[in-house]
Amino acid sequence: LAKTTQPISMDSYEGQEVNITCSHNNIATNDYITWYQQFPSQGPRFIIQGYKTKVTNEVASLFIPADRKSSTLSLPRVSLSDTAVYYCLVALSGGYQKVTFGTGTKLQVIP
Amino acid sequence: NAGVTQTPKFRILKIGQSMTLQCTQDMNHNYMYWYRQDPGMGLKLIYYSVGAGITDKGEVPNGYNVSRSTTEDFPLRLELAAPSQTSVYFCACKVSGSYEQYFGPGTRLTVT
């Protein structure tokens, strides 16, 4: 399983765009990148997944450079309700039996 | 459609006691997982199952057992509770080929 590294914490003001970068230097050819969000006292919630280039949904964008050794989750115009822990995961395509959530990035949105 | 439900929500155990954490999903997903999350930490995989009758160990299986007799249910058994098992336990499910796991609300367990 590829190891991921994220910043422990980030602060942002409301209305700003937030970019959280995840490093996964030993990502394998068939690995996909996924991001989850977790609020206090709740289970994680899936945000987005991608393999390469850029993926966008109604919540976030995911940017993956050509070498795939890192990825960046972009949250547009954050609000106080985006305060949460964000986890980056790398998972084997087609399998995904075993995944490990690292310590994640604690995002604090400031009014 | 309740998704993933877990019972109980809270439990206090004495050292050496046993209990079963219940997990039920109504999404007809074949993959199910059990994680534990210690304070300020990420989730660690305890056991997982790819279908009824099939289970396998995750990262931290010691002190736990699971069974999967139906698609819907995936109970987690603690036989001899220890203080190190104080944690929040999450159950999750997903369909084969997907990367999106659906999590239950968690069970907060304290062993004293």
Side-chain angles (χ1 to χ4, degrees):
Chain A
L1 293 173
K3 180 177 168 59
T4 59
T5 303
Q6 304 174 233
I8 292 174
S9 64
M10 295 179 68
D11 292 338
S12 176
Y13 288 102
E14 271 191 296
Q16 291 191 328
E17 178 185 74
V18 171
N19 296 309
I20 305 174
T21 298
C22 178
S23 171
H24 28 78
N25 289 320
N26 59 339
I27 189 170
T29 301
N30 293 330
D31 285 346
Y32 270 68
I33 299 152
T34 61
W35 285 80
Y36 281 77
Q37 174 192 58
Q38 185 180 27
F39 297 114
S41 301
Q42 293 186 26
R45 183 176 72 102
F46 175 87
I47 299 175
I48 198 166
Q49 72 183 49
Y51 183 78
K52 60 181 179 180
T53 63
K54 177 183 175 182
V55 179
T56 298
N57 62 22
E58 65 278 4
V59 176
S61 295
L62 178 59
F63 299 92
I64 305 168
D67 67 4
R68 304 200 329 121
K69 292 184 182 301
S70 67
S71 59
T72 299
L73 175 73
S74 180
L75 305 172
R77 298 179 299 282
V78 295
S79 65
L80 295 176
S81 62
D82 293 315
T83 293
V85 178
Y86 293 83
Y87 295 97
C88 163
L89 284 74
V90 173
L92 180 64
S93 169
Y96 201 61
Q97 285 91 345
K98 292 185 179 184
V99 291
T100 297
F101 288 69
T103 51
T105 298
K106 183 177 173 80
L107 172 66
Q108 181 68 51
V109 179
I110 305 164
Chain B
N1 192 339
V4 181
T5 57
Q6 293 183 238
T7 56
K9 286 187 170 53
F10 304 94
R11 183 74 185 268
I12 298 174
L13 279 183
K14 294 190 184 303
I15 294 171
Q17 287 185 323
S18 301
M19 77 164 294
T20 299
L21 282 67
Q22 302 292 345
C23 174
T24 300
Q25 52 105 353
D26 62 2
M27 307 174 79
N28 200 31
H29 288 180
N30 48 343
Y31 283 53
M32 294 189 75
Y33 304 81
W34 273 106
Y35 296 90
R36 60 175 286 174
Q37 185 172 34
D38 298 333
M41 304 297 287
L43 283 75
K44 294 186 178 180
L45 182 64
I46 306 172
Y47 271 95
Y48 67 96
S49 169
V50 300
I54 306 170
T55 62
D56 204 351
K57 296 177 181 178
E59 185 183 359
V60 289
N62 291 343
Y64 307 94
N65 279 300
V66 294
S67 60
R68 182 96 181 270
S69 57
T70 66
T71 299
E72 295 77 21
D73 300 306
F74 190 40
L76 178 71
R77 178 84 178 159
L78 282 71
E79 289 295 346
L80 292 170
S84 61
Q85 293 177 305
T86 294
S87 190
V88 179
Y89 292 83
F90 290 103
C91 177
C93 68
K94 78 170 191 77
V95 294
S96 177
S98 169
Y99 297 90
E100 181 172 359
Q101 292 187 39
Y102 296 84
F103 282 81
T107 293
R108 186 175 297 273
L109 176 66
T110 301
V111 182
T112 62

